[in-house]
Each structure stands twice: as C-alpha cells, then as structure tokens.
C-alpha cells in the first residue's frame, strides 16, 4: 500500500514517513497543500494523511479539490484543533477520518488499515481466499493455519492482490503501489516476487491462486471469490 503524507512540520513529516515505511508502506510526502494535491492527482496512491493547518492551500481545501475532481482516495485528517466543529468541518469536506495532535502512530496506522480494508469491502483485518489467510494488522500469512514466511515485498504484492480481488492488476499498477516514485523499478523483479509467492502459498499449484493474464497482469483466481 502507498500512503501520501501532507504535513508542513518537517520533523513530524519525516517521522511519519519513517514510521509508515517501517510498517511496510511505500510513501510519498509533501510539505504544502499545492504539492500534496499535485501528487494525489498525478500518482497512484492508496490513502492520504493530511494536516489541516497547512500554509497556503489548507488541508481542507486540498480534500475539497480532490473530491470535486472525483478522487475517492481514503483521507485521514490531522488537526491540532480538537473541537467538534473542526472535526465536523473536516468530515463534511470529504475526509474519512480524523486524528487530533498529538497522537500515537500505532493508532494512526490502525485507522489507516481500517480505512483501506473498508475501501476494499472488508470489515475484518483477516482476508481469506481458499486456505490462505492474510492478516493486514499483523502483516502475516498462513496456509491451512500454518505460517508462511514472506519477504516484505512478497507480502506487499500479495496484500495488494488480496485488497483488489476482483480486478486484473497490471505490472505497472502493482509496481507503482509497492515502490516509492524514485525507486529504480524493474518489472522482471516483480515477476520474481510473484514466482516466489506462488511457490510459497501454492507449492503444488493445486489452487492456482495467482493467475497471469498475458499482456494484462495478475489476478486472484475468481473461483475463490464470493
């Protein structure tokens, strides 16, 4: 998953970038509303964390512009103003959730994960296909109850497919959502990740869980979709 952090306070912005990376997210960041709006409009993202009190274009204006353009990205607002009026204003503008400063990163992460699950149509942090279970909170995967050891990028690939179960995900889309924009990306590396995933989650290829559609990308086997 890729998160955009729009925060003008440098130390907080850098701490959030570091914390989200440690939690397995790819990250983009901006220190102004104008830059944040550009990134959110031009690059593929999964969720936005935006401070209300930005210089120039406020966080509320950023959200309003996104919604006017038809952008439905989940948005969490950060605010130093903890009055109910400010919270209502943020939600009325189009934010999906809010957090008052100061806050614990663990709570922000939990709220982000909850929004991502809801936007994908899941209420529970555990997503299951066939006998494979992915826990988005623990970032763990099991097969028939037995733990499967995945690398960070293998997990990111599987999580993105699980959160987009009814679509064909192109290599370009998958690559853009698991890497930062300035990362030296190679589609051949992605093919290696998918190949290793298949061997780990479906070693006998009985499930054929991850399918390749030539010239289009990857999808989960629709046989296991409810």
């Amino acid at each position: 998953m890729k998160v955009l952090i729009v925060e003008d306070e440098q130390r907080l912005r850098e701490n959030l970038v570091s914390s989200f990376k440690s939690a397995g997210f790819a990250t983009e960041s901006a220190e102004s509303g104008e830059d944040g709006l550009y990134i959110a409009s031009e690059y593929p993202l999964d969720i936005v964390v935006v401070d209300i009190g930005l210089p120039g274009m406020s966080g509320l204006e950023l959200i309003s512009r996104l919604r006017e353009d038809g952008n439905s990205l989940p948005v969490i607002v950060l605010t130093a103003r903890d009055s109910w009026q400010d919270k209502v204003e943020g939600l009325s503008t189009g934010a999906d959730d809010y957090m008052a400063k100061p806050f614990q990163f663990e709570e922000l992460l939990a709220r982000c994960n909850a929004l991502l699950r809801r936007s994908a149509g899941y209420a529970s942090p555990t997503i299951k296909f066939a006998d494979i279970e992915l826990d988005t909170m623990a970032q763990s995967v099991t097969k028939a109850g037995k733990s499967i050891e995945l690398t960070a990028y293998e997990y990111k690939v599987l999580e993105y497919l699980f959160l987009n179960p009814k679509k064909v995900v192109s290599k370009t889309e998958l690559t853009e959502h698991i890497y930062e924009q300035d990362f030296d990306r190679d589609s051949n590396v992605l093919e290696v990740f998918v190949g290793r995933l298949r061997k780990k989650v479906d070693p006998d290829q009985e499930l054929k869980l991850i399918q390749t559609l030539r010239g289009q990308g990857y999808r989960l086997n629709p046989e296991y979709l409810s």
Side-chain angles (χ1 to χ4, degrees):
M1 298 290 103
K2 180 175 286 188
V3 59
L4 168 64
I5 300 150
V6 189
E7 169 60 62
D8 63 311
E9 185 182 336
Q10 182 179 357
R11 178 176 294 182
L12 177 56
R13 183 175 66 254
E14 291 176 348
N15 285 342
L16 287 174
V17 167
S18 176
S19 296
F20 272 109
K21 284 184 176 180
S22 295
F25 281 71
T27 63
E28 299 292 338
S29 64
E31 59 182 88
S32 70
E34 291 83 359
D35 288 346
L37 179 62
Y38 173 78
I39 294 172
S41 302
E42 297 296 325
Y43 295 100
L45 300 165
D46 295 294
I47 193 165
V48 179
V49 176
V50 56
D51 181 24
I52 283 183
L54 297 170
M57 178 187 293
S58 71
L60 293 180
E61 185 179 352
L62 187 161
I63 297 167
S64 180
R65 293 276 295 276
L66 284 177
R67 298 311 188 219
E68 288 172 2
D69 291 340
N71 192 319
S72 59
L73 273 171
V75 177
I76 294 183
V77 165
L78 303 179
T79 175
R81 299 169 292 184
D82 196 23
S83 71
W84 66 266
Q85 292 95 336
D86 293 319
K87 297 172 184 176
V88 168
E89 185 178 12
L91 295 172
S92 298
T93 302
D96 299 281
D97 201 353
Y98 64 86
M99 289 201 66
K101 299 178 180 178
F103 56 84
Q104 295 296 318
F105 175 74
E106 290 77 8
E107 182 180 356
L108 175 60
L109 178 62
R111 288 174 180 262
C112 285
N113 282 327
L115 276 179
L116 288 167
R117 291 196 307 271
R118 287 202 294 271
S119 67
Y122 298 108
S124 168
T126 301
I127 306 171
K128 183 174 182 179
F129 288 97
D131 62 349
I132 309 298
E133 287 193 2
L134 184 147
D135 188 327
T136 60
M137 292 293 290
Q139 294 193 353
S140 62
V141 179
T142 60
K143 178 179 175 63
K146 295 182 179 180
S147 178
I148 299 174
E149 294 298 323
L150 301 181
T151 67
Y153 280 104
E154 289 167 359
Y155 175 83
K156 287 180 180 183
V157 169
L158 190 63
E159 181 187 54
Y160 194 76
L161 292 174
F162 269 46
L163 288 172
N164 295 274
K166 297 183 179 180
K167 67 183 290 188
V168 178
V169 180
S170 70
K171 291 181 181 178
T172 299
E173 177 181 352
L174 190 52
T175 299
E176 287 175 336
H177 281 265
I178 67 173
Y179 292 122
E180 277 82 10
Q181 292 298 330
D182 57 356
F183 193 90
D184 184 15
R185 295 169 286 184
D186 185 337
S187 63
N188 292 326
V189 174
L190 183 60
E191 291 175 6
V192 171
F193 290 153
V194 173
R196 293 198 316 223
L197 269 175
R198 286 186 172 125
K199 291 179 181 179
K200 290 182 177 182
V201 304
D202 191 12
D204 299 322
Q205 281 297 291
E206 295 176 351
L207 302 176
K208 294 181 172 57
L209 185 69
I210 302 173
Q211 299 182 332
T212 299
L213 277 69
R214 190 174 298 276
Q216 298 181 60
Y218 304 106
R219 72 175 180 187
L220 293 178
N221 190 335
E223 177 183 341
Y224 303 109
L225 300 180
S226 57

